[in-house]
Amino acid sequence: MIDKQQHFNVATTAISKRDYTSAHKACVEVIQTFGDDPHAYFLLGIIHIEIGQINKAVKLLEKSNSLEARALTYAYLAKCFALTGDLNLAQAAAKKAPPTSLTRALDLDTVGVALSRVGDHEGALSYFKRALSIDNDNPQFHYNYGVSSKFAGHFAHAREHFERAISLNPNFYQAHFALSDLGGVTTEKNHIDRLLVASRTCEKHVEGRLHIGHALAKEYEALRQYDKAFEALQHAKAPKQQASQDAFADYQALFDYLQQQAQSAIEGIDVDADERIKAIGAQDDSPIFVIGMPRSGTTLVERILSHHSQVASGGELQDFGVAVKSLANTPSQHVLDLDTLKAAENLNMQEIGECYLARTAYLKQDGQRLVDKLPFNFFYVDLIRRALPNAKIICLMRDPMDTCVGNYRQLFSIHSPYYAYAYDLNVVGRFYLRFKKVMEAWAQKFPDNVHIQSYEALATNPTQEVPKLLSFCNLTWEEQCLHVERNTLPVSTASKVQVREAINTRSIGRWKQYGDQTASLQKLLGHC
């Protein structure tokens, strides 16, 4: 008869070989033969993480902890909760797996990545640091340490660890991009030759090509070689252009639906009906949603507001969309889709609002208000207005050319369905036009809830625009809100370097650097 440990050996070996069927069988045999066992349930949890069944993994890991609470199990629960967007549960699980309780570098890195995913970069650094003290030759660990260092504003440390990752693995394309993204590029000090070598190596690797191409574009831009920068972007994105077309077809259906909803609201809601709607939702005035196209100034507004003494920052939260999806219970794998938006119309609006408030309450800490700056929450504007009728919604509107070229220049999360439109410049332009039309309709009908904020006006005249923003949010004037460069909160967005500077106008009109390459986009957006 095979003993328990032999079963575990079979399971762990099978997991390492991605033979999850054999691993699952070995763990089940342990339970059937020896009864409930915490490690068997733990390994079953790991198997379900690997096959993408996160909710099942949570149940299995919680079962393991009910038999024997272990820091190791909490480490992987933190990973699960981070993957599902449960920020408070991820942090709570991590607290039960402090760095000193874990002895394997991989487990420490796992918790660090989980905390980084939910925006707790300072917390993540302690796990990465201990992981590197155990294994200093793993390029992924150095890269992960560098990412959290960058988001936390520790740029020198970030640079050091990205360089170390590249020295250990010259084809570590994410580290190449992350290093170029830090800036500091000059004629005398740049990575272009090294990047050109890497570009030839990853030519047939779509993700590598994207990262290296964007890294080259950033460095060519810094040297004012804009033709080469645009050429690098086009080459990097070419394999994904069809994905942009396909993604926009899906977005068209969403925009058509939202435009119809907005038009119906404009034509059909009278004052009394609107007052009745307001009374239905959760009566809480703490949320402030900052929305808009990516690269339109949402992070700047979040930094302004979160520097107020009564305001906490949640960063880019998925919680409203997750609340809608969980209550709608639609079968698709996507949080945002047409069926879910339609199903949400039949939900209890107060229940949506209260679900969102419960999911985000811990983020307020000592603040009375909370900023949620997920740009794509603009798809939920009407649901937010009805579920949280006292919430404030600030939509950034930036020059269309600057916005669209900014989206094209940015390397967004490759695996996120939200950003698949951004690989084709003209698709970005069409996306912008649909977004602008819908948001202007909502702002026209519901000015008490929705405020359109011009990025150019804010950057040019902050002493006038910041007081207006605070007033719209029912916040008292505080001089410190003008000084975003003094805001020490971590930044987990593409603007992590820029927003640590004082409010400035340097990015206004940046698209003109690519005037010769964007003729078709200029024609498309000419009537904006």
Side-chain angles (χ1 to χ4, degrees):
M1 177 180 177
I2 300 176
D3 64 23
K4 184 188 294 188
Q5 188 56 52
Q6 288 176 301
H7 280 291
F8 286 145
N9 292 342
V10 169
T12 53
T13 299
I15 290 172
S16 69
K17 295 179 178 179
R18 300 184 181 276
D19 180 3
Y20 301 122
T21 300
S22 298
H24 188 278
K25 179 182 177 182
C27 292
V28 169
E29 286 177 352
V30 167
I31 295 169
Q32 290 175 338
T33 305
F34 302 99
D36 285 348
D37 183 278
H39 196 57
Y41 283 108
F42 169 78
L43 291 176
L44 286 170
I46 298 301
I47 291 166
H48 282 80
I49 291 173
E50 293 299 321
I51 64 176
Q53 295 183 0
I54 307 303
N55 292 330
K56 182 68 178 294
V58 168
K59 289 182 171 61
L60 290 162
L61 293 172
E62 288 178 337
K63 174 67 173 179
S64 175
N65 266 338
S66 73
L67 297 169
E68 180 187 350
R70 298 187 299 171
L72 182 64
T73 309
Y74 280 111
Y76 286 87
L77 273 172
K79 176 177 181 175
C80 290
F81 292 134
L83 288 170
T84 58
D86 289 312
L87 282 70
N88 54 338
L89 291 178
Q91 288 183 311
K95 285 181 180 178
K96 294 184 178 181
T100 54
S101 70
L102 301 172
T103 58
R104 290 200 315 161
L106 178 61
D107 302 328
L108 288 153
D109 183 74
T110 295
V111 183
V113 171
L115 291 175
S116 179
R117 182 183 288 270
V118 300
D120 183 4
H121 297 291
E122 290 288 359
L125 289 173
S126 61
Y127 288 89
F128 293 139
K129 185 175 181 179
R130 182 165 167 77
L132 287 170
S133 73
I134 297 170
D135 182 357
N136 194 47
D137 293 326
N138 187 308
Q140 186 69 52
F141 296 167
H142 282 282
Y143 172 76
N144 292 341
Y145 191 106
V147 169
S148 279
S149 294
K150 180 161 67 170
F151 286 139
H154 309 315
F155 299 134
H157 283 144
R159 198 178 300 277
E160 174 189 344
H161 285 278
F162 292 143
E163 286 284 13
R164 175 65 172 154
I166 293 168
S167 71
L168 291 166
N169 179 5
N171 295 323
F172 199 147
Y173 48 83
Q174 298 101 322
H176 283 288
F177 171 76
L179 185 60
S180 296
D181 193 39
L182 279 172
V185 174
T186 65
T187 303
E188 297 76 24
K189 188 177 180 180
N190 62 71
H191 313 96
I192 289 175
D193 288 342
R194 186 169 70 182
L195 288 169
L196 289 172
V197 173
S199 71
R200 291 190 288 272
T201 303
C202 69
E203 177 67 19
K204 295 182 179 180
H205 190 293
V206 173
E207 290 188 21
R209 186 165 161 174
L210 280 166
H211 281 85
I212 298 300
H214 276 269
L216 276 167
K218 284 187 173 293
E219 304 225 355
Y220 282 133
E221 272 192 359
L223 301 179
R224 301 182 183 277
Q225 297 179 25
Y226 300 115
D227 288 347
K228 289 184 177 181
F230 198 80
E231 182 181 339
L233 289 173
Q234 285 186 308
H235 181 76
K237 294 172 184 285
K240 299 281 282 184
Q241 280 190 308
Q242 186 58 51
S244 275
Q245 300 286 345
D246 296 341
F248 187 65
D250 293 334
Y251 273 126
Q252 285 278 53
L254 290 175
F255 281 123
D256 288 344
Y257 176 73
L258 293 175
Q259 192 66 50
Q260 180 183 26
Q261 295 291 94
Q263 195 60 39
S264 297
I266 290 171
E267 295 174 355
I269 294 183
D270 57 34
V271 174
D272 290 339
D274 192 37
E275 289 303 314
R276 289 194 296 273
I277 286 174
K278 288 182 179 180
I280 292 173
Q283 303 299 306
D284 190 304
D285 66 354
S286 63
I288 302 172
F289 292 86
V290 179
I291 62 175
M293 285 282 288
R295 312 305 295 148
S296 64
T298 55
T299 301
L300 174 60
V301 169
E302 184 261 350
R303 300 291 283 182
I304 290 168
L305 295 175
S306 65
H307 212 25
H308 194 283
S309 62
Q310 297 178 11
V311 181
S313 171
E316 296 190 353
L317 301 177
Q318 302 283 342
D319 293 86
F320 192 86
V322 171
V324 171
K325 180 69 176 184
S326 63
L327 293 170
N329 198 29
T330 48
S332 74
Q333 296 298 310
H334 298 299
V335 172
L336 173 65
D337 56 37
L338 184 58
D339 288 344
T340 301
L341 286 183
K342 287 182 176 180
E345 291 297 313
N346 299 316
L347 295 177
N348 181 309
M349 291 295 125
Q350 182 174 350
E351 190 174 357
I352 295 175
E354 290 178 348
C355 180
Y356 172 82
L357 292 168
R359 289 178 61 91
T360 59
Y362 74 103
L363 289 167
K364 287 166 59 177
Q365 299 175 359
D366 296 329
Q368 299 174 28
R369 311 288 295 280
L370 179 69
V371 179
D372 179 340
K373 64 132 293 189
L374 183 69
F376 286 107
N377 271 333
F378 66 74
F379 283 108
Y380 300 105
V381 163
D382 194 42
L383 288 173
I384 291 171
R385 182 189 67 83
R386 292 157 62 192
L388 296 160
N390 297 316
K392 296 296 185 179
I393 304 170
I394 299 166
C395 179
L396 269 293
M397 202 68 71
R398 187 181 179 188
D399 174 89
M401 285 298 297
D402 269 332
T403 302
C404 294
V405 172
N407 273 245
Y408 190 68
R409 289 172 60 247
Q410 185 61 44
L411 178 60
F412 295 112
S413 174
I414 295 171
H415 301 293
S416 170
Y418 284 124
Y419 301 108
Y421 69 91
Y423 300 110
D424 184 297
L425 189 54
N426 286 331
V427 170
V428 177
R430 293 163 65 196
F431 188 100
Y432 177 91
L433 291 173
R434 297 303 308 267
F435 150 79
K436 183 173 184 286
K437 188 174 182 179
V438 168
M439 284 311 309
E440 287 178 342
W442 287 129
Q444 173 190 338
K445 181 60 183 178
F446 304 111
D448 291 341
N449 296 97
V450 183
H451 171 69
I452 300 290
Q453 174 62 56
S454 161
Y455 171 77
E456 287 74 19
L458 180 60
T460 305
N461 295 302
T463 56
Q464 296 179 19
E465 295 298 313
V466 172
K468 292 179 186 177
L469 268 180
L470 297 180
S471 177
F472 172 74
C473 296
N474 297 324
L475 291 166
T476 58
W477 167 248
E478 289 184 2
E479 177 78 19
Q480 66 201 33
C481 293
L482 288 171
H483 302 289
V484 294
E485 72 278 10
R486 301 176 191 170
N487 190 332
T488 59
L489 292 174
V491 186
S492 298
T493 72
S495 305
K496 53 202 159 289
V497 177
Q498 298 95 310
V499 297
R500 297 182 187 282
E501 304 172 344
I503 299 172
N504 62 76
T505 59
R506 285 200 301 275
S507 65
I508 294 177
R510 181 177 285 167
W511 73 269
K512 294 176 184 177
Q513 298 167 348
Y514 296 104
D516 294 339
Q517 294 87 0
T518 57
S520 61
L521 180 65
Q522 292 176 55
K523 183 178 179 180
L524 176 66
L525 300 176
H527 62 281
C528 281

